[in-house]
Amino acid sequence: MIRLDNISKQHGHQILFIDASMGIQKGEKVGLVGPNGAGKTTLFRMSAGEEQPDDGQVTVDAGMTIGYFSQDVGEMSGKSAVAAVMDGVGPVSELAAEMARLEAAMADPALAGDGAGDMDAIVERYGDVQGRFDELDGYALDARAREVLAGLSFSQERMDGDVGLLSGGWKMRVALARILLMRPDGMLLDEPSNHLDLESLIWLEDFLKKYDGALLMTSHDREFMNRIIGKVVEIDGGSLTTYSGNFDFYEQQRALFERQRQAQFERQQAMLAKELKFIERFKARASHAAQVQSRVKKLDKIEKVEPPRRRQAVQFEFRAPPRSGDDVASFRNVHKGYGSQPIYEGLDLRVRRKERWCVLGANGAGKSTLLKLVAGATEPDQGTVTLGSSVRMGYFAQHSMDLLDGDDTVFESLDGSFPQAGQGALRSLAGCFGFSGDDVEKPCRVLSGGEKARLVMAKMLFDPPNFLVLDEPTNHLDMATKEMLVAALADFEGTMLFVSHDRHFLAALSNRVLELTPDGIHQYGGGYTEYVARTGQEAPGLHPGSP
């Protein structure tokens, strides 16, 4: 359905692709992987026809419809979220908007003009528009649009509100819903899992599993990728390599390929060294001239085996945090609400040393509020939240990234926080969190969301607290940084209270679960994996197989 044949592409001095080829057939679900800057978004844009290769050919089957979701959602305002989603399907949303205007005119004679003739014209026009809307199955489309938005955690109020008033993350969901409602023959999804909560993520996973078209997607969420894709295309050094299987299988195959390539390289290097030693030893002897010449020619003809390209995987190791008391945090009869909306009514919770609590709950359940209460960022309306003796807290929230000084470089920001650390230690720290070489000289104002999150995390973990309070710490992080963070936090000797929509992160790090539901607050011993096994659900109120 979509083929890229021998494509080459260069942006400025950066070569992205050299004679690279790949293909996607109907029904295939393909994951696109590669380091940041390798060219994933460029490949999406070429597949969608928004960019052309410098050389080679991109072929899309005649008549094939393609839906392309990118992180650049463009301007949205002046219409409801439902109307914005229906926009992707053609004239139906325009007819719906005109029907709404005509209904308002019919309901308010002041809008109808000067007389009955105007009202008759409005009624007649309304009949025509409604008939066309009905022909295009508009009523069913409106219901389907609402179903998709509900799956992405929109309330009815948010669906009908002005899309222009939504945050960037919610606008992303609207743009994604537009593609899903289209049901095109092929979907190109560039990081669709960004900005989604756990419930929305699971709903989207189920939707994409049932989708029968061609799917090419990239995601920093390992579990999400694993459950959907059956094939991986890797961008590496300008080439495209296709692997069968999910992401875990791809990693195993790639590691096996690298070991084989390394062994092949080492065998050839040993053979070359032996031949060169012979040549060097006998090149001055006339009696061996023929043999020496023969071996020189042989070496000239040998195709050199290149060693595998090493992916930089820098590991971060915690310093041991100071020991806290056994009681780290206590909530006693905590009441908290916003306006007339109660969030907590009599919450009791005790967090003990070395416990790792993950907090689960749907949007609005109070996950971030709980973390704000323990961090002192908000106060309870009633009751007490207290920290134990010798507790030293590190609090990561999404607004933490806004506190960086935009004029500081990455290195200056680290140096300002740790003036005694020394340049070598800080450069090593920066490297662990993905800032290598000249990256440390970037001003903070030009950093992406992911880079800002990595910098804030580096500053928090270099001189570690003994109580980590983390609100969606993996948002914006690429897969390699997530893996490094999981590995580092697995060895962390302190206490954790965190919210995350990343199931790999939840399963790897939690040993307690706090579940916030409309029916009450439930505490579970054992981590997220045990919670799923015990409850039969991956998120509160969302059972396996539910759309």
Side-chain angles (χ1 to χ4, degrees):
M1 296 184 82
I2 302 174
R3 277 212 59 80
L4 283 72
D5 291 303
N6 302 315
I7 59 162
S8 295
K9 185 71 178 177
Q10 187 168 341
H11 280 170
H13 295 297
Q14 185 185 12
I15 296 172
L16 296 176
F17 300 102
I18 307 167
D19 289 333
S21 299
M22 62 161 281
I24 313 169
Q25 299 303 316
K26 179 177 170 60
E28 284 190 325
K29 296 180 172 66
V30 183
L32 183 64
V33 303
N36 285 342
K40 294 191 290 292
T41 297
T42 301
L43 191 143
F44 277 124
R45 289 177 58 79
M46 288 192 294
S47 300
E50 293 185 3
E51 208 169 311
Q52 297 301 316
D54 299 333
D55 200 9
Q57 191 169 9
V58 178
T59 309
V60 177
D61 282 0
M64 180 181 179
T65 55
I66 291 180
Y68 172 37
F69 170 77
S70 73
Q71 296 297 299
D72 181 14
V73 297
E75 184 53 40
M76 292 182 184
S77 62
K79 59 183 68 172
S80 69
V82 170
V85 168
M86 288 164 55
D87 263 358
V89 186
V92 171
S93 64
E94 294 168 21
L95 293 169
E98 188 175 356
M99 280 170 60
R101 287 195 298 272
L102 292 168
E103 284 166 2
M106 288 189 292
D108 185 352
L111 299 175
D114 296 329
D118 288 336
M119 178 60 81
D120 288 345
I122 289 170
V123 170
E124 185 178 351
R125 175 63 183 161
Y126 183 79
D128 293 340
V129 173
Q130 187 183 41
R132 180 65 180 141
F133 185 78
D134 201 21
E135 279 176 26
L136 294 173
D137 210 13
Y139 291 107
L141 192 66
D142 181 90
R144 279 176 47 215
R146 290 178 185 276
E147 184 184 338
V148 170
L149 286 170
L152 296 175
S153 297
F154 277 74
S155 63
Q156 290 298 327
E157 183 182 4
R158 192 171 259 145
M159 289 180 201
D160 292 316
D162 185 346
V163 71
L165 301 178
L166 297 176
S167 68
W170 285 99
K171 284 179 179 175
M172 288 274 191
R173 297 187 195 209
V174 170
L176 177 59
R178 185 183 288 171
I179 304 298
L180 302 181
L181 185 66
M182 277 175 64
R183 288 266 181 174
D185 301 319
M187 278 201 270
L188 309 173
L189 305 182
D190 190 358
E191 293 292 348
S193 53
N194 275 5
H195 304 285
L196 296 185
D197 54 82
L198 185 55
E199 289 75 16
S200 301
L201 200 61
I202 293 167
W203 179 89
L204 178 59
E205 183 181 287
D206 189 62
F207 185 100
L208 293 177
K209 281 180 184 173
K210 293 173 181 173
Y211 171 65
D212 59 3
L215 172 66
L216 178 67
M217 60 175 271
T218 187
S219 172
H220 292 325
D221 190 313
R222 168 189 288 269
E223 195 64 32
F224 182 70
M225 286 271 271
N226 264 336
R227 297 184 184 202
I228 294 169
I229 63 171
K231 186 168 152 182
V232 170
V233 171
E234 179 193 55
I235 305 177
D236 190 15
S239 64
L240 293 170
T241 307
T242 301
Y243 297 82
S244 294
N246 65 10
F247 185 82
D248 282 349
F249 186 71
Y250 147 75
E251 281 202 319
Q252 293 165 12
Q253 289 296 105
R254 192 182 198 284
L256 176 62
F257 172 76
E258 283 191 347
R259 287 196 299 272
Q260 291 171 340
R261 186 72 172 264
Q262 184 65 31
Q264 190 180 1
F265 172 73
E266 288 172 0
R267 283 196 302 271
Q268 189 179 70
Q269 289 299 301
M271 181 273 290
L272 292 174
K274 185 178 176 184
E275 294 294 320
L276 288 170
K277 186 177 179 183
F278 179 91
I279 292 167
E280 194 63 32
R281 183 178 175 188
F282 294 111
K283 66 182 180 182
R285 297 188 188 179
S287 59
H288 287 73
Q291 288 174 285
V292 168
Q293 283 303 310
S294 172
R295 295 194 182 202
V296 168
K297 287 178 183 176
K298 174 184 167 186
L299 292 188
D300 286 342
K301 290 178 182 176
I302 286 176
E303 187 176 337
K304 300 292 190 294
V305 175
E306 295 293 327
R309 279 184 286 269
R310 297 288 181 198
R311 290 279 174 89
Q312 284 190 329
V314 186
Q315 295 304 313
F316 176 76
E317 292 185 11
F318 274 102
R319 299 179 186 178
R323 191 187 193 284
S324 71
D326 287 338
D327 284 328
V328 175
S330 296
F331 293 71
R332 292 190 181 89
N333 192 34
V334 168
H335 291 248
K336 181 69 180 176
Y338 294 104
S340 61
Q341 180 66 39
I343 303 293
Y344 297 114
E345 296 177 302
L347 168 65
D348 290 305
L349 174 68
R350 185 165 68 157
V351 178
R352 304 270 293 168
R353 190 172 74 88
K354 289 201 171 185
E355 289 180 342
R356 295 153 172 249
W357 287 87
C358 71
V359 185
L360 302 180
N363 270 335
K367 301 187 295 294
S368 292
T369 300
L370 184 92
L371 270 53
K372 287 177 183 174
L373 284 166
V374 80
T378 190
E379 296 293 324
D381 300 333
Q382 184 183 324
T384 59
V385 180
T386 55
L387 297 181
S389 63
S390 304
V391 170
R392 185 174 157 198
M393 184 192 303
Y395 175 43
F396 178 89
Q398 296 306 302
H399 68 78
S400 308
M401 296 178 279
D402 301 330
L403 304 179
L404 295 170
D405 187 329
D407 293 329
D408 282 349
T409 65
V410 169
F411 185 82
E412 287 167 346
S413 186
L414 292 172
D415 190 45
S417 297
F418 310 108
Q420 308 301 320
Q423 190 169 127
L426 293 183
R427 285 188 176 274
S428 175
L429 171 68
C432 287
F433 283 85
F435 299 102
S436 56
D438 293 340
D439 288 343
V440 296
E441 302 305 328
K442 281 184 179 178
C444 290
R445 82 172 81 82
V446 305
L447 298 180
S448 68
E451 288 171 323
K452 286 179 180 176
R454 296 202 307 266
L455 178 55
V456 170
M457 198 79 68
K459 293 172 78 164
M460 186 173 70
L461 299 181
F462 182 65
D463 187 14
N466 51 32
F467 182 31
L468 291 176
V469 179
L470 309 175
D471 193 355
E472 295 286 5
T474 60
N475 267 9
H476 307 292
L477 298 186
D478 61 33
M479 213 177 284
T481 309
K482 278 188 194 179
E483 292 296 334
M484 180 276 290
L485 189 60
V486 167
L489 292 175
D491 294 330
F492 175 59
E493 295 175 11
T495 307
M496 290 172 62
L497 178 68
F498 64 94
V499 173
S500 176
H501 64 255
D502 189 295
R503 284 163 290 180
H504 179 60
F505 191 88
L506 290 168
L509 296 175
S510 61
N511 59 24
R512 299 284 188 283
V513 174
L514 186 71
E515 181 190 53
L516 312 178
T517 74
D519 302 327
I521 296 170
H522 310 287
Q523 301 180 21
Y524 294 87
Y528 178 72
T529 303
E530 289 84 357
Y531 163 83
V532 173
R534 189 180 303 179
T535 63
Q537 61 191 29
E538 292 191 293
L542 189 65
H543 295 272
S546 62

